[in-house]
């Protein structure tokens, strides 16, 4: 979310992908919904205007919390990062989060389909968990070391 606050133009550009993100926290989901609404209303929305609008609508405390607790090593959360690199990393993370959500659903399905007499049903959850771990490791590496480690 911090990347979207720093780069609100992405709200319009990646609207569909953002809408599809799994957001369990109701207040955060409300914030994202309001950010998306504002980006539709003002396609050239900038950081200061978005911040002012959200703060005036009562999201100030949540915004402050996001900015202090969720600052990470990801390029798109840092000021002064090359805009092309920041957007490339943002898209990578957006796709990874969507894939992790899909893998969670696949894993739940695979676990419920396990049959002790079928090796494939026993191995499928392990393969899904391995793919999930690979994506999580890649995201962690990206946050810790930047884009150079990404393949």
């Amino acid at each position: 979310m911090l990347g979207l606050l720093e780069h609100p133009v992405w709200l319009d550009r990646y609207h569909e992908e953002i809408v599809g993100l799994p957001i369990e926290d109701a207040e955060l989901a409300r914030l994202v919904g309001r950010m998306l609404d504002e980006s539709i209303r003002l396609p050239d929305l900038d950081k200061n205007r978005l911040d002012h609008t959200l703060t005036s609508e009562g999201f100030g405390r949540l915004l402050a919390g996001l900015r202090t607790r969720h600052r990470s090593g990801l390029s798109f959360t840092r000021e002064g990062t090359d805009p092309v690199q920041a957007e490339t990393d943002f898209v990578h993370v957006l796709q990874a989060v969507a894939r992790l959500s899909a893998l969670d659903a696949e894993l739940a399905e695979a676990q419920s389909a396990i049959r002790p007499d079928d090796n494939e049903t026993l191995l499928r959850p392990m393969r899904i968990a391995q793919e999930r771990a690979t994506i999580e490791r890649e995201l962690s590496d990206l946050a810790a070391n930047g884009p150079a480690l990404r393949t």
Side-chain angles (χ1 to χ4, degrees):
M1 294 310 119
L2 189 54
L4 295 172
L5 291 169
E6 297 295 322
H7 307 277
V9 68
W10 297 344
L11 288 160
D12 185 51
R13 201 171 292 162
Y14 301 105
H15 185 98
E16 283 185 43
E17 294 87 343
I18 295 165
V19 167
L21 289 175
I23 303 173
E24 295 179 14
D25 181 276
E27 188 176 17
L28 191 57
R30 220 169 51 83
L31 172 67
V32 171
R34 187 61 193 99
M35 291 166 62
L36 289 167
D37 290 346
E38 195 66 8
S39 75
I40 291 168
R41 193 174 77 75
L42 299 168
D44 294 330
L45 185 62
D46 68 32
K47 178 180 170 178
N48 293 330
R49 173 93 184 226
L50 178 62
D51 190 59
H52 174 76
T53 299
L54 295 173
T55 300
S56 69
E57 292 181 7
F59 290 106
R61 187 181 209 136
L62 180 57
L63 295 175
L66 285 171
R67 287 191 170 109
T68 57
R69 289 190 312 267
H70 297 286
R71 187 74 58 186
S72 73
L74 294 167
S75 66
F76 54 84
T77 66
R78 294 188 312 260
E79 290 187 30
T81 300
D82 171 63
V84 173
Q85 186 62 58
E87 187 168 1
T88 298
D89 290 348
F90 174 77
V91 170
H92 179 76
V93 170
L94 190 61
Q95 291 170 342
V97 169
R99 182 65 184 139
L100 288 171
S101 179
L103 286 171
D104 287 343
E106 288 178 35
L107 184 57
E109 179 186 319
Q111 288 172 330
S112 68
I114 290 176
R115 291 191 327 260
D117 61 334
D118 184 347
N119 279 345
E120 178 54 34
T121 65
L122 293 169
L123 294 174
R124 186 166 177 249
M126 288 188 287
R127 284 194 294 268
I128 294 168
Q130 287 172 339
E131 182 180 351
R132 191 175 205 303
T134 298
I135 293 169
E136 288 174 339
R137 191 171 40 256
E138 186 177 283
L139 288 173
S140 179
D141 288 347
L142 182 63
N145 303 307
L149 293 181
R150 193 165 6 105
T151 57

